[in-house]
Amino acid sequence: QVQLVESGGGLVQPGGSLRLSCATSGSIFSIKAMAWYRQAPGKQREWVAQITSSGNTIYVNSVKGRFTISRDNAKNMVYLQMNSLKPEDTAVYYCNAAPLALYSWGQGTQVTVSS
């Protein structure tokens, strides 16, 4: 059973940066596309960014040019570098498989962008 543990969130001012990490267990990590999702208060969870096993990436339009997804297959880790953060980026961030979120959701990590 694959477990997902997200970390790295926090409170940051607009324009600031954070780097999120997702630790995964399970030997199938290296062959799966992985993604970051987020859920803002009162909204549905949305897909944010995706990376294939070979490193190809795609992003939702609202974060293009500001967020960068990466992965380390040897360490079973996925990362999300978030720059130029905006208040509308405030949400709980989760990682999971893509395009279908196949695994049980982790606890997520809270990102709050506020002055």
Side-chain angles (χ1 to χ4, degrees), residues 39-60:
Q39 187 168 18
K43 295 186 177 181
Q44 290 189 332
R45 186 150 35 201
E46 67 169 346
W47 168 89
V48 175
Q50 177 174 322
I51 185 167
T52 67
S53 57
S54 58
N56 294 318
T57 59
I58 51 174
Y59 301 89
V60 68

